């Protein structure tokens, strides 16, 4: 095929993408709608799916009213090129075959397939090329806390291999979905009214508290969220790095923060690290302590980048460096990362 014909074919394909969002009513699903609305993403048709609970709900997208369809085991995905799924692991497992059997690429936000050998786990700034090897037509979007960390780690890994990472996270209520945000807002309202806060979503009252517990505990004393940071980081970075994490839920609505210590193979100076972060794709440095400037979730929600600041030498380790990272976990930690995967696959001609 002539190169010109190939480009024409790509363009034709590019402008005929049929997309689905599964879990459209959820926190991530709503973010998909808002990201796709503003991004120059080639959509001819968008189909929204949910459970029977949200079937029939209407959302406006690019001036058109879309009605949520109930996700069922039928041929609804026959002409769909890409399905962006964010409806929980159980739903993803149950509907994988229904979604992919006609060739649809499923970019999945749940933890259902992340560690499967035949499913690439992708953060485009780090390992986009892994998308080329997706025999099941499934690409997994990593855990939100891991995504923002590896975008920052990649900058350092480029200059010296990272051997160890210690990290403490400060995670927003919305990490637990739309109902997590609702519960936090309700608790603050109840406290102001002098009422006893309702606790359903989190293990304890989150308002006026911090909870050192995200996801369920595993046998080694770490939570699943903490083990995701260990295992997923190694898979995404193709690295033997060891990650020891403490994941903490804090009473804010949106954007996760992380305090990160890395140990590199050779000492990396603060200046070198700053230059590496400055150059890194998807990273923005805010690090001006003289003016009290550093990344904060309150001011960075709704933004696409991973923000890095407080870059310092580790006083306890000559090969250590420490910094602070903030990112909107519903955007870069979920919906935006999945859209970037889709964009990369379209650009590389990897969509059927
Ligand atoms: N929130 C985050 O920061 C974040 C970050 C990264 C990854 N994730 C992952 O993304 C997924 C969604 O999270 P979320 O925060 O958006 O949760 P959420 O706000 O609770 O939304 C869940 C969505 O899943 C849909 N759903 C549930 N069961 C379904 C079924 N059987 N069939 C079809 N749709 C079904 C719900 O639809 P109905 O309204 O019809 O029930 C809703 O749209 C989860 O796997 C989560 O782990 C979330």
């Amino acid at each position: 095929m002539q190169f010109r014909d190939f480009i024409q074919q790509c363009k034709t394909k590019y402008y005929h993408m049929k997309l689905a969002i599964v879990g459209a009513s959820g926190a991530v699903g709503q973010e998909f709608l808002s990201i796709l609305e503003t991004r120059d993403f080639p959509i001819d048709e968008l189909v929204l799916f949910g459970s029977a609970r949200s079937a029939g709900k209407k959302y406006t997208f690019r001036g058109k009213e879309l009605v949520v369809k109930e996700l069922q085991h039928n041929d609804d995905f026959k002409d769909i090129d890409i399905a962006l799924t964010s409806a929980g692991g159980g739903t993803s497992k149950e509907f994988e075959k229904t979604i992919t059997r006609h060739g649809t690429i499923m970019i999945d936000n749940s933890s259902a397939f992340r560690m499967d050998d035949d499913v690439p786990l992708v953060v485009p700034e780090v390992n986009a090329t892994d998308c080329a090897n997706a025999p099941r037509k499934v690409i997994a979007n990593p855990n939100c806390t891991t995504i923002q960390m590896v975008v920052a780690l990649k900058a350092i890994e480029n200059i010296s291999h990272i051997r160890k990472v210690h990290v403490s996270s400060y995670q927003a209520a919305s990490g637990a979905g739309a109902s997590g945000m609702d519960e936090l807002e309700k608790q603050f309202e109840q406290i102001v009214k002098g009422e006893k806060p309702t606790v359903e979503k989190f293990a304890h009252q989150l308002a006026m508290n911090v909870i050192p517990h995200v996801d369920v505990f595993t046998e080694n004393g770490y939570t699943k969220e903490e083990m995701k940071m260990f295992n997923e980081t190694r898979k995404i970075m193709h690295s033997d790095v060891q990650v020891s994490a403490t994941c903490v839920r804090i009473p804010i609505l949106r954007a996760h923060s992380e305090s990160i210590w890395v140990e590199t193979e050779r000492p990396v100076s603060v200046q070198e690290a700053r230059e590496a972060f400055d150059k890194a794709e998807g990273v923005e440095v805010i690090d001006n302590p003289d003016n009290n400037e550093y990344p904060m979730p309150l001011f960075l929600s709704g933004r696409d980048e991973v923000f890095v600041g407080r870059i310092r030498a580790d006083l306890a380790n000559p090969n250590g460096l420490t910094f602070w990272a903030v990112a909107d976990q519903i955007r870069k930690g979920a919906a935006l990362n999945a859209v970037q995967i889709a964009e990369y696959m379209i650009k590389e001609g990897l969509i059927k």
Side-chain angles (χ1 to χ4, degrees), residues 148-171:
Q148 73 180 70
M149 182 174 79
V150 297
V151 170
L153 292 186
K154 178 71 167 71
I156 304 299
E157 181 74 18
N158 285 342
I159 52 176
S160 176
H161 174 54
I162 298 170
R163 290 198 292 228
K164 288 182 189 157
V165 175
H166 289 93
V167 53
S168 277
S169 72
Y170 302 72
Q171 300 184 216

PDB file of all heavy atoms in Angstrom, residues 148-171:
ATOM      1  N   GLN A 148      -0.172   8.305  38.915  1.00  0.00           N
ATOM      2  CA  GLN A 148       0.495   9.598  39.109  1.00  0.00           C
ATOM      3  C   GLN A 148       1.919   9.393  39.621  1.00  0.00           C
ATOM      4  O   GLN A 148       2.822  10.159  39.276  1.00  0.00           O
ATOM      5  CB  GLN A 148      -0.312  10.520  40.023  1.00  0.00           C
ATOM      6  CG  GLN A 148      -0.323  10.158  41.494  1.00  0.00           C
ATOM      7  CD  GLN A 148      -1.156  11.156  42.297  1.00  0.00           C
ATOM      8  OE1 GLN A 148      -2.374  11.190  42.178  1.00  0.00           O
ATOM      9  NE2 GLN A 148      -0.517  11.985  43.104  1.00  0.00           N
ATOM     10  N   MET A 149       2.145   8.339  40.394  1.00  0.00           N
ATOM     11  CA  MET A 149       3.504   8.101  40.888  1.00  0.00           C
ATOM     12  C   MET A 149       4.445   7.716  39.745  1.00  0.00           C
ATOM     13  O   MET A 149       5.551   8.239  39.634  1.00  0.00           O
ATOM     14  CB  MET A 149       3.495   7.019  41.967  1.00  0.00           C
ATOM     15  CG  MET A 149       4.883   6.778  42.541  1.00  0.00           C
ATOM     16  SD  MET A 149       4.881   5.657  43.924  1.00  0.00           S
ATOM     17  CE  MET A 149       4.760   4.068  43.115  1.00  0.00           C
ATOM     18  N   VAL A 150       3.993   6.811  38.849  1.00  0.00           N
ATOM     19  CA  VAL A 150       4.929   6.346  37.812  1.00  0.00           C
ATOM     20  C   VAL A 150       5.230   7.433  36.780  1.00  0.00           C
ATOM     21  O   VAL A 150       6.330   7.453  36.215  1.00  0.00           O
ATOM     22  CB  VAL A 150       4.475   5.040  37.103  1.00  0.00           C
ATOM     23  CG1 VAL A 150       4.412   3.894  38.088  1.00  0.00           C
ATOM     24  CG2 VAL A 150       3.176   5.206  36.348  1.00  0.00           C
ATOM     25  N   VAL A 151       4.287   8.350  36.553  1.00  0.00           N
ATOM     26  CA  VAL A 151       4.591   9.461  35.637  1.00  0.00           C
ATOM     27  C   VAL A 151       5.781  10.249  36.200  1.00  0.00           C
ATOM     28  O   VAL A 151       6.714  10.604  35.472  1.00  0.00           O
ATOM     29  CB  VAL A 151       3.352  10.377  35.438  1.00  0.00           C
ATOM     30  CG1 VAL A 151       3.735  11.650  34.689  1.00  0.00           C
ATOM     31  CG2 VAL A 151       2.261   9.635  34.680  1.00  0.00           C
ATOM     32  N   ALA A 152       5.765  10.479  37.515  1.00  0.00           N
ATOM     33  CA  ALA A 152       6.886  11.206  38.141  1.00  0.00           C
ATOM     34  C   ALA A 152       8.146  10.332  38.205  1.00  0.00           C
ATOM     35  O   ALA A 152       9.253  10.792  37.917  1.00  0.00           O
ATOM     36  CB  ALA A 152       6.475  11.661  39.540  1.00  0.00           C
ATOM     37  N   LEU A 153       7.982   9.063  38.572  1.00  0.00           N
ATOM     38  CA  LEU A 153       9.154   8.172  38.689  1.00  0.00           C
ATOM     39  C   LEU A 153       9.894   8.041  37.357  1.00  0.00           C
ATOM     40  O   LEU A 153      11.121   7.938  37.325  1.00  0.00           O
ATOM     41  CB  LEU A 153       8.737   6.772  39.153  1.00  0.00           C
ATOM     42  CG  LEU A 153       8.208   6.618  40.575  1.00  0.00           C
ATOM     43  CD1 LEU A 153       7.984   5.136  40.885  1.00  0.00           C
ATOM     44  CD2 LEU A 153       9.140   7.235  41.610  1.00  0.00           C
ATOM     45  N   LYS A 154       9.138   8.026  36.255  1.00  0.00           N
ATOM     46  CA  LYS A 154       9.754   7.830  34.938  1.00  0.00           C
ATOM     47  C   LYS A 154      10.832   8.898  34.687  1.00  0.00           C
ATOM     48  O   LYS A 154      11.889   8.611  34.111  1.00  0.00           O
ATOM     49  CB  LYS A 154       8.664   7.891  33.854  1.00  0.00           C
ATOM     50  CG  LYS A 154       9.152   7.751  32.428  1.00  0.00           C
ATOM     51  CD  LYS A 154       9.600   6.316  32.146  1.00  0.00           C
ATOM     52  CE  LYS A 154       9.815   5.989  30.693  1.00  0.00           C
ATOM     53  NZ  LYS A 154      10.969   6.577  30.063  1.00  0.00           N
ATOM     54  N   ALA A 155      10.570  10.114  35.158  1.00  0.00           N
ATOM     55  CA  ALA A 155      11.539  11.199  34.955  1.00  0.00           C
ATOM     56  C   ALA A 155      12.873  10.851  35.614  1.00  0.00           C
ATOM     57  O   ALA A 155      13.944  11.071  35.046  1.00  0.00           O
ATOM     58  CB  ALA A 155      10.978  12.491  35.535  1.00  0.00           C
ATOM     59  N   ILE A 156      12.804  10.288  36.813  1.00  0.00           N
ATOM     60  CA  ILE A 156      14.033   9.943  37.548  1.00  0.00           C
ATOM     61  C   ILE A 156      14.659   8.686  36.956  1.00  0.00           C
ATOM     62  O   ILE A 156      15.880   8.589  36.784  1.00  0.00           O
ATOM     63  CB  ILE A 156      13.723   9.732  39.057  1.00  0.00           C
ATOM     64  CG1 ILE A 156      13.054  10.973  39.655  1.00  0.00           C
ATOM     65  CG2 ILE A 156      14.982   9.361  39.834  1.00  0.00           C
ATOM     66  CD1 ILE A 156      13.884  12.230  39.607  1.00  0.00           C
ATOM     67  N   GLU A 157      13.821   7.706  36.628  1.00  0.00           N
ATOM     68  CA  GLU A 157      14.317   6.446  36.045  1.00  0.00           C
ATOM     69  C   GLU A 157      15.126   6.722  34.772  1.00  0.00           C
ATOM     70  O   GLU A 157      16.083   6.012  34.475  1.00  0.00           O
ATOM     71  CB  GLU A 157      13.118   5.528  35.749  1.00  0.00           C
ATOM     72  CG  GLU A 157      13.449   4.170  35.154  1.00  0.00           C
ATOM     73  CD  GLU A 157      14.049   3.184  36.156  1.00  0.00           C
ATOM     74  OE1 GLU A 157      13.913   3.393  37.384  1.00  0.00           O
ATOM     75  OE2 GLU A 157      14.679   2.192  35.712  1.00  0.00           O
ATOM     76  N   ASN A 158      14.734   7.764  34.043  1.00  0.00           N
ATOM     77  CA  ASN A 158      15.456   8.121  32.809  1.00  0.00           C
ATOM     78  C   ASN A 158      16.911   8.491  33.091  1.00  0.00           C
ATOM     79  O   ASN A 158      17.762   8.375  32.214  1.00  0.00           O
ATOM     80  CB  ASN A 158      14.789   9.320  32.111  1.00  0.00           C
ATOM     81  CG  ASN A 158      13.505   8.914  31.418  1.00  0.00           C
ATOM     82  OD1 ASN A 158      13.269   7.739  31.169  1.00  0.00           O
ATOM     83  ND2 ASN A 158      12.661   9.896  31.105  1.00  0.00           N
ATOM     84  N   ILE A 159      17.205   8.961  34.316  1.00  0.00           N
ATOM     85  CA  ILE A 159      18.594   9.367  34.583  1.00  0.00           C
ATOM     86  C   ILE A 159      19.331   8.399  35.510  1.00  0.00           C
ATOM     87  O   ILE A 159      20.536   8.290  35.439  1.00  0.00           O
ATOM     88  CB  ILE A 159      18.682  10.824  35.119  1.00  0.00           C
ATOM     89  CG1 ILE A 159      17.755  11.044  36.316  1.00  0.00           C
ATOM     90  CG2 ILE A 159      18.369  11.820  34.021  1.00  0.00           C
ATOM     91  CD1 ILE A 159      17.899  12.434  36.930  1.00  0.00           C
ATOM     92  N   SER A 160      18.618   7.693  36.359  1.00  0.00           N
ATOM     93  CA  SER A 160      19.257   6.628  37.138  1.00  0.00           C
ATOM     94  C   SER A 160      18.179   5.633  37.588  1.00  0.00           C
ATOM     95  O   SER A 160      17.100   6.047  38.053  1.00  0.00           O
ATOM     96  CB  SER A 160      19.958   7.198  38.380  1.00  0.00           C
ATOM     97  OG  SER A 160      20.481   6.132  39.159  1.00  0.00           O
ATOM     98  N   HIS A 161      18.492   4.354  37.464  1.00  0.00           N
ATOM     99  CA  HIS A 161      17.514   3.329  37.815  1.00  0.00           C
ATOM    100  C   HIS A 161      17.052   3.488  39.268  1.00  0.00           C
ATOM    101  O   HIS A 161      17.870   3.677  40.176  1.00  0.00           O
ATOM    102  CB  HIS A 161      18.145   1.947  37.599  1.00  0.00           C
ATOM    103  CG  HIS A 161      17.269   0.829  38.071  1.00  0.00           C
ATOM    104  ND1 HIS A 161      15.954   0.678  37.651  1.00  0.00           N
ATOM    105  CD2 HIS A 161      17.494  -0.188  38.947  1.00  0.00           C
ATOM    106  CE1 HIS A 161      15.423  -0.371  38.232  1.00  0.00           C
ATOM    107  NE2 HIS A 161      16.341  -0.917  39.035  1.00  0.00           N
ATOM    108  N   ILE A 162      15.748   3.390  39.471  1.00  0.00           N
ATOM    109  CA  ILE A 162      15.198   3.494  40.836  1.00  0.00           C
ATOM    110  C   ILE A 162      15.137   2.092  41.435  1.00  0.00           C
ATOM    111  O   ILE A 162      14.519   1.192  40.869  1.00  0.00           O
ATOM    112  CB  ILE A 162      13.789   4.131  40.810  1.00  0.00           C
ATOM    113  CG1 ILE A 162      13.873   5.555  40.261  1.00  0.00           C
ATOM    114  CG2 ILE A 162      13.169   4.118  42.200  1.00  0.00           C
ATOM    115  CD1 ILE A 162      12.511   6.183  39.967  1.00  0.00           C
ATOM    116  N   ARG A 163      15.806   1.940  42.599  1.00  0.00           N
ATOM    117  CA  ARG A 163      15.814   0.625  43.266  1.00  0.00           C
ATOM    118  C   ARG A 163      14.650   0.471  44.235  1.00  0.00           C
ATOM    119  O   ARG A 163      14.037  -0.579  44.328  1.00  0.00           O
ATOM    120  CB  ARG A 163      17.132   0.450  44.029  1.00  0.00           C
ATOM    121  CG  ARG A 163      18.330   0.272  43.116  1.00  0.00           C
ATOM    122  CD  ARG A 163      19.504  -0.318  43.861  1.00  0.00           C
ATOM    123  NE  ARG A 163      20.023   0.620  44.840  1.00  0.00           N
ATOM    124  CZ  ARG A 163      21.310   0.912  44.983  1.00  0.00           C
ATOM    125  NH1 ARG A 163      22.219   0.333  44.216  1.00  0.00           N
ATOM    126  NH2 ARG A 163      21.716   1.762  45.903  1.00  0.00           N
ATOM    127  N   LYS A 164      14.390   1.539  44.974  1.00  0.00           N
ATOM    128  CA  LYS A 164      13.347   1.445  46.009  1.00  0.00           C
ATOM    129  C   LYS A 164      12.511   2.712  46.052  1.00  0.00           C
ATOM    130  O   LYS A 164      13.029   3.796  45.799  1.00  0.00           O
ATOM    131  CB  LYS A 164      13.992   1.281  47.386  1.00  0.00           C
ATOM    132  CG  LYS A 164      14.612  -0.065  47.613  1.00  0.00           C
ATOM    133  CD  LYS A 164      15.176  -0.150  49.018  1.00  0.00           C
ATOM    134  CE  LYS A 164      15.983  -1.435  49.139  1.00  0.00           C
ATOM    135  NZ  LYS A 164      16.965  -1.384  50.201  1.00  0.00           N
ATOM    136  N   VAL A 165      11.254   2.538  46.412  1.00  0.00           N
ATOM    137  CA  VAL A 165      10.360   3.688  46.606  1.00  0.00           C
ATOM    138  C   VAL A 165       9.631   3.501  47.935  1.00  0.00           C
ATOM    139  O   VAL A 165       9.118   2.408  48.218  1.00  0.00           O
ATOM    140  CB  VAL A 165       9.303   3.780  45.477  1.00  0.00           C
ATOM    141  CG1 VAL A 165       8.319   4.905  45.751  1.00  0.00           C
ATOM    142  CG2 VAL A 165       9.955   3.958  44.111  1.00  0.00           C
ATOM    143  N   HIS A 166       9.631   4.541  48.752  1.00  0.00           N
ATOM    144  CA  HIS A 166       8.724   4.581  49.902  1.00  0.00           C
ATOM    145  C   HIS A 166       7.717   5.681  49.619  1.00  0.00           C
ATOM    146  O   HIS A 166       8.110   6.764  49.173  1.00  0.00           O
ATOM    147  CB  HIS A 166       9.485   4.889  51.194  1.00  0.00           C
ATOM    148  CG  HIS A 166      10.338   3.741  51.643  1.00  0.00           C
ATOM    149  ND1 HIS A 166      11.656   3.608  51.306  1.00  0.00           N
ATOM    150  CD2 HIS A 166      10.036   2.651  52.384  1.00  0.00           C
ATOM    151  CE1 HIS A 166      12.138   2.495  51.817  1.00  0.00           C
ATOM    152  NE2 HIS A 166      11.171   1.877  52.480  1.00  0.00           N
ATOM    153  N   VAL A 167       6.462   5.395  49.825  1.00  0.00           N
ATOM    154  CA  VAL A 167       5.448   6.395  49.487  1.00  0.00           C
ATOM    155  C   VAL A 167       4.301   6.366  50.498  1.00  0.00           C
ATOM    156  O   VAL A 167       3.891   5.297  50.955  1.00  0.00           O
ATOM    157  CB  VAL A 167       4.920   6.167  48.035  1.00  0.00           C
ATOM    158  CG1 VAL A 167       4.455   4.748  47.810  1.00  0.00           C
ATOM    159  CG2 VAL A 167       3.812   7.153  47.660  1.00  0.00           C
ATOM    160  N   SER A 168       3.844   7.569  50.864  1.00  0.00           N
ATOM    161  CA  SER A 168       2.607   7.695  51.641  1.00  0.00           C
ATOM    162  C   SER A 168       1.636   8.501  50.803  1.00  0.00           C
ATOM    163  O   SER A 168       2.004   9.557  50.283  1.00  0.00           O
ATOM    164  CB  SER A 168       2.861   8.456  52.946  1.00  0.00           C
ATOM    165  OG  SER A 168       3.350   7.578  53.916  1.00  0.00           O
ATOM    166  N   SER A 169       0.422   8.000  50.678  1.00  0.00           N
ATOM    167  CA  SER A 169      -0.558   8.719  49.852  1.00  0.00           C
ATOM    168  C   SER A 169      -1.549   9.466  50.731  1.00  0.00           C
ATOM    169  O   SER A 169      -1.761   9.106  51.902  1.00  0.00           O
ATOM    170  CB  SER A 169      -1.305   7.732  48.960  1.00  0.00           C
ATOM    171  OG  SER A 169      -2.187   6.969  49.752  1.00  0.00           O
ATOM    172  N   TYR A 170      -2.131  10.495  50.162  1.00  0.00           N
ATOM    173  CA  TYR A 170      -3.161  11.301  50.833  1.00  0.00           C
ATOM    174  C   TYR A 170      -4.316  11.347  49.843  1.00  0.00           C
ATOM    175  O   TYR A 170      -4.333  12.195  48.949  1.00  0.00           O
ATOM    176  CB  TYR A 170      -2.628  12.700  51.125  1.00  0.00           C
ATOM    177  CG  TYR A 170      -1.370  12.716  51.977  1.00  0.00           C
ATOM    178  CD1 TYR A 170      -0.143  12.311  51.466  1.00  0.00           C
ATOM    179  CD2 TYR A 170      -1.423  13.131  53.309  1.00  0.00           C
ATOM    180  CE1 TYR A 170       1.008  12.313  52.242  1.00  0.00           C
ATOM    181  CE2 TYR A 170      -0.276  13.142  54.098  1.00  0.00           C
ATOM    182  CZ  TYR A 170       0.937  12.732  53.545  1.00  0.00           C
ATOM    183  OH  TYR A 170       2.069  12.741  54.325  1.00  0.00           O
ATOM    184  N   GLN A 171      -5.268  10.416  49.957  1.00  0.00           N
ATOM    185  CA  GLN A 171      -6.222  10.174  48.874  1.00  0.00           C
ATOM    186  C   GLN A 171      -7.601  10.782  49.143  1.00  0.00           C
ATOM    187  O   GLN A 171      -8.160  10.659  50.235  1.00  0.00           O
ATOM    188  CB  GLN A 171      -6.340   8.658  48.637  1.00  0.00           C
ATOM    189  CG  GLN A 171      -4.999   8.049  48.246  1.00  0.00           C
ATOM    190  CD  GLN A 171      -5.038   6.569  47.898  1.00  0.00           C
ATOM    191  OE1 GLN A 171      -4.102   5.859  48.214  1.00  0.00           O
ATOM    192  NE2 GLN A 171      -6.082   6.092  47.246  1.00  0.00           N
TER     193      GLN A 171
END
